[in-house]
Amino acid sequence: MATDMQKLIGTSEEDDDEDVEMDVKEEDDEEDDGEKRIRSSLMIGDDGGMVSSGSNNNRFEQHQVQEQVGTPGGGRRCRPVEEKERTKLRERHRRAITARILAGLRRHGNYNLRVRADINDVIAALATEAGWVVLPDGTTFPSRSQGIKAAGGGSTAITSSSSHMASQQTPSTFIRGVRCGLRSLPEYNACRMKGVFLPNSPTYDASPNARCQSSSLIGDAVEQSAGHPLISSSVDAVDGMQIVDVTPKLPERDFAGSTYIPVYVMLPLGVINMKCELVDPDGLLKQLRLLKSVNVDGVMVDCWWGIVEAHSPQEYNWNGYRGLFQMVHELKLKLQVVLSFHECGGNVGDDVCIPLPHWVAEIGRSNPDIFFTDREGRRNPECLSWGVDKERVLRGRTGLEVYFDYMRSFRVEFNDFFEDGVITTIEVGLGPCGELRFPSCPVKHGWRYPGIGEFQCYDQYLLKNLRKAAEARGHSFWARGPDNVGSYSSRPHETGFFCDGGDYDGYYGRFFLNWYSQVLVDHGDRVLYLAKLAFEGTRIVAKLSGIHWWYKTASHAAELTAGYYNPCNRDGYAAIMAMLKKHSASLNFTSAGFHMLDQREDFANSLSDPEAVVWQVTNAARDNSVEVVSENAHPFLDRVGYNKILDSAKPLADPDGRYLSSFIFHRLSPLLLERLNFMEFERFVKRMHGEAVHDLLV
C-alpha cells in the first residue's frame, strides 16, 4: 500500500527503491537469514515492476545495508531502535497522506469510496474516470485501443499503467521524473504526441490549467521515437534512462449550432478621467475596432456618479461619455451602461481612484452617519448608507431622489442612443462595487480572506430603523446589534454567534438577521422601482456578489454579514429573486472564474463551495423566471477558463436549455489584445455565438 501511495503522489525511481528496501527491512525483523531478503529487495526485476537505476545513492544504500547484516555465518540481523522508530513514523506519514487524499476525493470529487477504502480503490476510481476499464480482480485496460507507428515500421500500442494525479496547488509538477505544468497555448502545442493512446479524462478541471497527464516511454522505445516525425516534445535523461514529456490534447465539447449568447467586453475603469474627458480616444478606437473584428456584440462602461455630478448637486457633465458612446455607435457595437453610485479604488481589480462627489464628501464630514458604519464606529465612504434612502440629508434631497435625478438626467441626455437601440441594458448600482450587498468586507478596515466580515448597521439611521422593528416585535431590548460576532477576519467557529449551534439560530438571532436582510431587499426594491420608471422599455439589471467562503458551515457567516440570510436551513436568495421579478429585472451574478479559486493557499481552509453558490443562486433566479447575466470574477486568458465559462453558460445537462442571456468579459486590456491571447478570445466568442471551430482540443 505504501509503495503504491508513493507512486500515486509522484516520487522518483530512487525514492521508490529506498521505500521498498525499508519495507523489506521492516518485514525481516522477525524472520531468519536477513541477508538473502535484503539482497532480494535490491535486485527486484521485471516481476516487481521496479527499474534499478544504478545510481551512486543506491550503491551507497546497498553498502549500508550489507554492513547492517548479521554475522558472516548467517543469522538474524539487529537494527537500531532509532531506525525502527523512523520506519514507524514514515508509515504513519504515508497513512496520513492516504487519509487526506481519500477525504479530499470524497468531499470535492464525489468519488464513491467506502469508509475503509485503500489506495487500490483510489487508483481504480481515478482510472475509471480517465476512461479505463478496471475489473474486480484488478485487470485494467483502455476502453478503446490506439497505437503509434514505430520507427521501424511496426505498430506498437503504448498505454499508461496507472493514472497520475498532478498537484493543483503548484504551477509545475514532477510525476515520477516526468515534468508537467505547461501553462500557455504555445507550450501545449509544442509538446504533443500524435497517435499515442491516452485515456479519456474530464475535459476541464477545477484548476485554471488543464490537468497534466503524461506517459513515460523508457529505454528502447524512447530511442526509436526520439527522431520520430510525429513527436514534438522534450526528452530528459535520468540515470541513463530517457523519459519523454508528453502532454496530450483532450477533446472539447462542440458548441456548433448551440444557442447564440451575446458577448460584451467591459472597458477599463479609467477610460473617462475626473474631468469627464475621454482618455486616449485614438488608442481606444483601435481597440474597439479589434473587438469588432472578432464579432464582439458590444461593450460595457461605468458611468461614475463621482465624475458626472462631482462638484454641485444636479449639475451633470456627460461630455466624455457622449464622445465614447458616439464612437461605439459608429462601429455598430452595442452598449451596456453601469450607473455606478459607489467609489472606485481600494477593491480587488481597481486601478484608478474615483471618489463619491465632492459635495457628498462635505456632507459626510459634518454628518458621517450618511455612510455605512461598523460596530466599532468606523465609517465606510464607499457608498451611501441605505438608511438615508428616505432621509433628507443630501442638500434637501433623500438618497432615493439623488439616484432618480441622476438616472433621469442620463435618460434625457442620451435619448438618441436609446431610440437607435445602441444602449440595450442599464445596470443600476445598488451598493459597494455596484452589488446589492452590505460592505461587510472592507480591506481598509482589516478584513482579509477568508474572514467572515462584520455587520454594517450602526449608523444612526439604520439603528433607528432597527429600534422600530424591535418595538413592533414587542422586544425593545433587541434594538441592538449582536456583540459576540468576532471581527472582520474571524472564523465562524471562533465566535459565539456564527459557530455551530450559535446565537444566529436563536430567537434574537433570527429576528436580527431577518431585519438585516430585509433592509437589503427593501433598498433594491425602491431603487429598481425608480429605475423602471426612468428607463421604461430598457432591460434593467441588478448585480449580486458570489459569497462562497464558509458556505459549507451551518451558519454561512460571510453571507449573513453581507445581508444574504442564507444559513443551511433557509433559502436566502428567494426573496431577492422575487423582488427582481417584480420589476422585470435581470440578475448579473459574478460567478464565472470561480474555478481559479482553488489556487489560493487558504482556499481549502475556508470551507468554500463556489459551485454550490452558483447552483443555488442561478436556480433561485430561474425558479422566478429571472434572466441571468454573468461576468468573470477573476481575469483569465487560457482555454480552460473559457471552457469553464462555456460549460456554465450552456449547461449540457439542463433539459430546459436555460442559458445565460449574455456574458461580460472582465475586462479590456493590452494583455487581452496580444496575438495569442486574442486568438484564444476570438475562438471563445465564436463558440459562445454557436459557430463551429476547427481545433476542438485543449
Side-chain angles (χ1 to χ4, degrees), residues 544-547 551 559 564-566 570-578 589 613 616-617 620-621 624:
L544 252 62
S545 180
I547 308 294
Y551 190 87
E559 292 172 273
Y564 305 144
Y565 188 11
N566 189 53
R570 186 181 189 276
D571 185 358
Y573 298 100
I576 298 175
M577 299 309 159
F589 187 56
V613 177
Q616 182 182 0
V617 174
N624 286 275

Side-chain angles (χ1 to χ4, degrees), residues 652-667:
L652 183 63
D654 191 337
D656 300 321
R658 297 176 295 184
Y659 299 154
L660 295 179
S661 59
S662 65
F663 176 75
I664 303 155
F665 182 82
H666 190 125
R667 66 182 65 237

Side-chain angles (χ1 to χ4, degrees), residues 593-633:
F594 278 174
H595 67 282
M596 301 179 67
L597 292 171
D598 61 353
Q599 287 189 310
R600 297 185 62 110
E601 294 180 359
D602 44 11
F603 176 80
N605 298 323
S606 65
L607 295 179
S608 173
D609 198 344
E611 292 183 356
V613 177
V614 174
W615 185 90
Q616 182 182 0
V617 174
T618 55
N619 276 278
R622 286 161 178 162
D623 287 345
N624 286 275
S625 302
V626 174
E627 288 187 345
V628 180
V629 178
S630 185
E631 64 182 57
N632 48 306

